[in-house]
């Protein structure tokens, strides 16, 4: 009999919803509907989720009405599921409009770095946005704040969420829009209990390792970007959307799964008990 690791926590991950005050973008994309599809994929999986993390670019132009729409759509799901939500700030976001609508806090221009504790798991968002710029950064003050947060380990470790992910960028045009000051972040993470980093910004799914920590990037819920050859530019498409599911296990490992968010045709459905006569016995 083999033993499968047991998930102690699961975190739903969405990114780059790009809500607009008009309700549409690029003529055919309706961000509220595509974002709802991602939340439905998470909820419809039936997997118990402890928290939802949105890794930024909640709105496309930082409009106050766009954040109200994002809050409304999110609340339609969280009222049923009870998921607490942690919001990261992206380069399209405006802090002063985002804080009142999504965090229930006074308008501010200061970085929206926040901490959420869920059953011994610490979730941290680091605001990597630079107002008026597309690329991201970590300031020395933020690095010091993060070091202070991480000084005492959490019971089940920490998950760090930020908009600009510290990963190699395959779409070369996007490299100019990447996270700067990565050395500051690396130093802040040294010796810490951070088990995974969640990011967005790139609009395509990718993964890497940074400072010894696995990094997982969710594709956008608004529209996605195709991988292209070096120098191939950026091709945005209406499709291939997904939500992510981060699973943290009792043996110290983490896993990350993509849940397609676009409409799908179910080909077959097989009951669980069919598999009890196959393979080897597994202890859960």
């Amino acid at each position: 009999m083999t033993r499968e690791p047991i998930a102690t926590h699961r975190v739903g991950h969405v990114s780059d919803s790009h809500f607009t005050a008009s309700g549409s973008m690029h003529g055919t994309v309706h961000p509220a509907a595509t974002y709802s599809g991602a939340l439905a994929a998470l909820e419809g999986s039936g997997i118990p989720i402890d928290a939802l993390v949105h890794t930024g670019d909640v709105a496309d132009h930082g409009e106050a009405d766009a954040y109200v729409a994002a809050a409304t759509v999110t609340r339609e799901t969280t009222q049923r599921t009870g998921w607490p939500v942690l919001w990261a700030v992206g380069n399209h976001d405006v802090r002063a409009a985002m804080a009142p609508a999504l965090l229930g806090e006074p308008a501010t221009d200061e970085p929206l770095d926040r901490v959420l504790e869920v059953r011994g798991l610490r979730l941290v968002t680091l605001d990597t946005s630079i107002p008026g710029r597309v690329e991201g950064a970590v300031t020395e003050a933020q690095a010091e704040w993060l070091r202070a947060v991480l000084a005492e380990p959490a019971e089940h470790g920490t998950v760090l969420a930020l908009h600009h992910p510290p990963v190699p960028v395959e779409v070369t045009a996007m490299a100019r829009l990447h996270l700067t000051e990565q050395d500051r972040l690396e130093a802040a993470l040294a010796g810490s209990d951070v088990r995974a980093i969640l990011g967005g910004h790139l609009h395509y799914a990718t993964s890497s390792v940074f400072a010894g920590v696995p990094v997982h990037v969710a594709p956008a819920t608004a529209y996605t970007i195709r991988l292209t050859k070096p120098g191939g530019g950026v091709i945005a498409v209406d499709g291939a959307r997904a939500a992510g599911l981060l699973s943290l296990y009792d043996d110290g490992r983490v896993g990350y799964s993509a849940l397609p968010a676009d409409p799908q045709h179910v080909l077959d459905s097989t009951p669980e008990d069919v598999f009890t006569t196959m393979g080897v016995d597994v202890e859960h």
Side-chain angles (χ1 to χ4, degrees), residues 11-224:
V11 178
H13 179 203
V14 290
S15 197
D16 296 86
S17 50
H18 288 269
F19 275 80
T20 63
S22 69
S24 65
M25 66 185 309
H26 295 297
T28 59
V29 174
H30 301 285
T34 55
Y35 176 67
S36 292
L39 296 185
L42 290 168
E43 184 180 4
S45 71
I47 297 171
I49 293 173
D50 295 282
L52 178 69
V53 171
H54 190 308
T55 48
D57 279 1
V58 179
D60 196 46
H61 301 294
E63 302 153 311
D65 287 347
Y67 292 114
V68 171
T72 299
V73 173
T74 304
R75 192 161 49 246
E76 289 171 355
T77 295
T78 58
Q79 284 179 336
R80 292 190 300 271
T81 62
W83 301 337
V85 185
L86 197 61
W87 304 89
V89 184
N91 53 282
H92 281 258
D93 290 314
V94 174
R95 296 166 180 165
M98 185 171 171
L102 298 182
L103 307 183
E105 300 176 5
T108 180
D109 293 324
E110 295 300 311
L112 300 179
D113 304 321
R114 298 292 184 269
V115 179
L116 173 68
E117 298 272 352
V118 182
R119 295 193 300 105
L121 176 68
R122 180 167 54 202
L123 303 171
V124 179
T125 55
L126 195 65
D127 183 346
T128 55
S129 68
I130 308 172
R133 303 288 298 181
V134 181
E135 73 276 14
V138 177
T139 68
E140 185 55 46
Q142 286 181 299
E144 289 294 338
W145 175 84
L146 183 59
R147 271 191 285 268
V149 169
L150 299 175
E152 183 174 343
E155 180 184 359
H156 291 282
T158 299
V159 174
L160 177 64
L162 38 69
H163 182 65
H164 300 81
V167 297
V169 180
E170 191 69 26
V171 178
T172 55
M174 297 288 289
R176 294 171 58 88
L177 319 179
H178 202 23
L179 179 67
T180 63
E181 313 296 350
Q182 292 190 22
D183 55 334
R184 287 179 179 164
L185 179 61
E186 183 175 13
L189 296 180
S192 74
D193 68 346
V194 174
R195 298 175 63 183
I197 299 172
L198 301 179
H201 185 54
L202 300 179
H203 284 237
Y204 65 87
T206 190
S207 61
S208 187
V209 175
F210 178 78
V213 180
V215 185
H216 301 288
V217 181
T221 68
Y223 63 90
T224 59

Side-chain angles (χ1 to χ4, degrees), residues 170-171 202-204 224-229 233-237:
E170 191 69 26
V171 178
L202 300 179
H203 284 237
Y204 65 87
T224 59
I225 288 177
R226 286 181 179 171
L227 292 186
T228 55
K229 65 182 180 181
V234 173
I235 300 173
V237 297

